[in-house]
Amino acid sequence: MSKIIAANWKMNLSLNEAEKLASEVVKGNSGSNDIILFPPYVYLWTVKEIIKGSRISLGAQNCHFENSGAFTGNVSASMLKGIGCGYVIVGHSECRQHHNESDELINKKAKSAITNGLIPLICIGEKLEEREQGKHKEIVSEQIRITLADIDVSKIILAYEPVWAIGTGKTATSAEISEMHEFISSLVKKVPLLYGGSVNEKNYHEILDIPNVDGLLIGGASLQIEKFSKIISY
Ligand code: PGA
């Protein structure tokens, strides 16, 4: 079965570097997986032109829940749809942490994305102290309860990203991933469920082979074409 490989470029790359990376991804994509690139907003249009006609899709890293209005610095789901995005990440732990995004707000953003014809990639995952206290399942089920309230789950992608594994080089073990993916899949049925957190060119294979792992959300390793092209050819 094909897997979803999502590349979250975060706030990285110059315009030239973004163009080069997008072109290299197009060239290096010989596999049958579904690749989605999430460049910074300012590169969306450029990347869209580069991936045109390929099997690669485009997404944005966040959106506002309103379609328009006095929200300086924000971008709406309807604007993203209008310029050719098919996806938008909502609820990434960096937005939860740095912008105080709550589960209620993430739910509104996901609804706006769906209303505007985008597929929201909704991120959930526990923090280190929550895992150490054995509360990871409780936290994640609460995030699911609120972020997915009144949402048609056939229109979303979910990503389990333990916060302690993001950008730290500390991947969750296969047993930890397996346990959480089985748990989440029992709560939310028939939803593509990605794993994210320090996925690289060395561990991707083992993670993709875990039951209930339908794909990967990759940060750091998606910025280096040698690493990323290995992963997408899974
Ligand atoms: P990472 O980021 O692969 O650099 O850990 C993953 C993410 O934040 O989605």
Side-chain angles (χ1 to χ4, degrees):
M1 244 207 20
S2 68
K3 303 280 188 180
I4 299 168
I5 313 286
N8 177 8
W9 291 359
K10 308 193 181 181
M11 195 175 74
N12 290 299
L13 308 173
S14 66
L15 175 59
N16 282 345
E17 288 165 343
E19 286 173 340
K20 188 160 178 276
L21 181 57
S23 312
E24 286 170 334
V25 174
V26 171
K27 268 192 247 144
N29 181 30
S30 51
S32 59
N33 296 310
D34 298 323
I35 319 291
I36 315 167
L37 300 183
F38 292 90
Y41 290 130
V42 286
Y43 306 147
L44 283 169
W45 184 265
T46 310
V47 171
K48 180 191 108 155
E49 292 297 310
I50 294 170
I51 63 176
K52 210 181 244 171
S54 74
R55 288 194 62 247
I56 298 162
S57 306
L58 186 67
Q61 296 173 18
N62 203 348
C63 67
H64 198 277
F65 62 87
E66 293 284 4
N67 282 341
S68 61
F71 300 103
T72 303
N74 285 279
V75 172
S76 69
S78 64
M79 291 172 181
L80 295 173
K81 180 69 182 176
I83 65 142
C85 286
Y87 300 82
V88 62
I89 298 174
V90 294
H92 192 280
S93 66
E94 286 152 15
C95 302
R96 291 174 183 265
Q97 184 191 342
H98 302 302
H99 304 154
N100 289 323
E101 291 196 4
S102 65
D103 288 324
E104 287 78 5
L105 179 67
I106 293 157
N107 175 253
K108 284 188 183 178
K109 291 182 179 211
K111 283 178 178 156
S112 172
I114 294 170
T115 305
N116 284 289
L118 296 175
I119 297 179
L121 196 172
I122 304 171
C123 302
I124 52 174
E126 81 285 357
K127 299 190 191 113
L128 182 60
E129 60 270 25
E130 293 162 345
R131 175 158 283 266
E132 284 173 347
Q133 290 161 10
K135 290 189 181 154
H136 42 291
K137 286 190 176 168
E138 191 186 314
I139 294 292
V140 162
S141 58
E142 187 63 1
Q143 289 175 338
I144 288 173
R145 187 179 70 76
I146 304 171
T147 59
L148 302 194
D150 303 318
I151 280 189
D152 175 355
V153 294
S154 70
K155 301 200 163 127
I156 68 162
I157 298 174
L158 262 186
Y160 169 61
E161 297 205 299
V163 179
W164 46 273
I166 296 178
T168 57
K170 195 171 182 291
T171 328
T173 63
S174 294
E176 286 166 338
I177 297 172
S178 179
E179 182 196 29
M180 289 308 281
H181 276 244
E182 191 185 339
F183 176 65
I184 295 165
S185 303
S186 73
L187 297 178
V188 197
K189 307 243 166 20
K190 298 206 173 110
V191 169
L193 178 57
L194 315 188
Y195 169 79
S198 296
V199 175
N200 59 39
E201 77 290 1
K202 298 201 179 84
N203 60 24
Y204 74 97
H205 213 288
E206 187 181 337
I207 299 172
L208 282 175
D209 285 345
I210 297 171
N212 301 308
V213 173
D214 301 308
L216 303 168
L217 178 53
I218 307 172
S222 74
L223 296 169
Q224 288 163 280
I225 192 62
E226 316 76 54
K227 296 183 178 176
F228 193 61
S229 51
K230 248 185 137 179
I231 300 172
I232 59 180
S233 59
Y234 168 85

